[in-house]
Amino acid sequence: MQENGRLLSNVLSKVKLQAKPGVSTLQLAEMAHEEIKAVGAESAFLGYRGFPGVICISLNEEVVHGIPSATRIMRQGDLVKIDIGIKRKGFYADMAETVYLGEEVPPETTRLLVTTKNALAAGIRNCIAGETLGKISQSIQQAIETENLSVVKRFVGHGIGKSLHEKPPVPNFGPSTGGPRLEIGMVLAIEPIATFGSPEIAIKQDGWTAITVDGAISAHFEHTVAVTSQGPVILTSTCHAG
Ligand code: MG
């Protein structure tokens, strides 16, 4: 899973550099597919419960599960959420990042991005064997709400391994006492989603794409993280110490 995570991290780094104004989300997904195949992996999302895309690309007020489309052209000023899952040698890895298209990021967008990233980091720090999973949830919620942003509660992180989505669910909110105790060897996909104002979401007519009801932009960051005797290890990272 560590090898898969490293490969996925490399794939996502390449894909996000190709997210540019004038490129369709389908073109970006096709580039991603080439990169996924090049590392000997396959898309974990394509066909998953009928999902029609290779990866998820969600723009601006779209929260998650955006379907790549030839007619959806990315523009300057778009906030692009790229979520990629791969399967290789029987094991899964899952990762997401949010990128802004443009040189000058609006201050409020920066605040949203930094806060969501910090929330992910806080969650990861709490991937400690013997502690409750709720500590992850609470730390994420705190990081987001102290910045007066909202946690999108409809979607949660998850265990990951031989399946894309395994137990336990990893909510981005809730009391520190909630959930099971973490054990060495558990691997979790931790994925906070934050927005401004209302956290209410709706699903578009395509049956997949989640959008904020009030049209506010949202951010999503995700890592696949292992609980080890040495503490948390981010598997979806380009460098691993040993
Ligand atoms: Mg995930």
Side-chain angles (χ1 to χ4, degrees):
M1 289 191 76
Q2 190 165 51
E3 181 68 8
N4 286 357
R6 188 181 62 78
L7 292 169
L8 173 53
S9 177
N10 286 330
V11 166
L12 186 55
S13 322
K14 287 180 183 172
V15 171
K16 75 180 178 192
L17 290 176
Q18 301 302 322
K20 296 172 188 164
V23 176
S24 78
T25 56
L26 183 64
Q27 283 175 306
L28 189 63
E30 284 169 351
M31 292 174 204
H33 207 183
E34 292 310 311
E35 298 294 345
I36 290 167
K37 288 187 283 192
V39 299
E42 59 186 283
S43 163
F45 297 168
L46 183 62
Y48 183 84
R49 295 184 180 168
F51 186 76
V54 169
I55 64 174
C56 297
I57 307 172
S58 313
L59 306 184
N60 305 321
E61 79 286 357
E62 296 173 352
V63 177
V64 286
H65 304 161
I67 301 170
S69 160
T71 56
R72 197 75 198 273
I73 312 296
M74 290 179 281
R75 310 250 175 242
Q76 183 91 358
D78 277 346
L79 193 62
V80 183
K81 280 135 276 181
I82 304 171
D83 191 351
I84 307 183
I86 63 165
K87 182 185 185 186
R88 180 177 162 275
K89 297 186 176 176
F91 286 93
Y92 287 83
D94 198 356
M95 183 181 187
E97 282 194 29
T98 303
V99 291
Y100 179 81
L101 301 190
E103 305 273 298
E104 291 188 16
V105 190
E108 279 297 90
T109 303
T110 300
R111 191 166 73 87
L112 177 68
L113 292 172
V114 168
T115 301
T116 314
K117 248 188 239 185
N118 286 344
L120 174 56
I124 291 169
R125 278 196 299 277
N126 283 289
C127 287
I128 305 289
E131 301 289 348
T132 51
L133 186 143
K135 285 197 167 180
I136 300 173
S137 305
Q138 189 195 43
S139 66
I140 289 173
Q141 182 174 19
Q142 261 176 10
I144 291 171
E145 292 183 351
T146 54
E147 282 294 325
N148 285 318
L149 298 172
S150 309
V151 174
V152 174
K153 294 179 177 172
R154 175 86 83 91
F155 302 102
V156 300
H158 49 95
I160 181 169
K162 289 181 179 173
S163 300
L164 177 60
H165 293 126
E166 295 185 352
K167 286 182 181 173
V170 185
N172 296 310
F173 60 95
S176 63
T177 49
R181 288 207 178 267
L182 302 178
E183 294 170 28
I184 291 169
M186 273 183 162
V187 182
L188 304 173
I190 302 176
E191 47 179 325
I193 304 167
T195 185
F196 300 97
S198 167
E200 290 301 306
I201 64 118
I203 306 295
K204 275 180 151 179
Q205 291 244 312
D206 61 23
W208 281 100
T209 313
I211 55 169
T212 56
V213 166
D214 61 9
I217 57 172
S218 68
H220 177 210
F221 287 90
E222 176 178 24
H223 270 306
T224 298
V225 181
V227 178
T228 81
S229 60
Q230 315 291 316
V233 175
I234 300 172
L235 300 185
T236 40
S237 167
T238 47
C239 48
H240 291 302

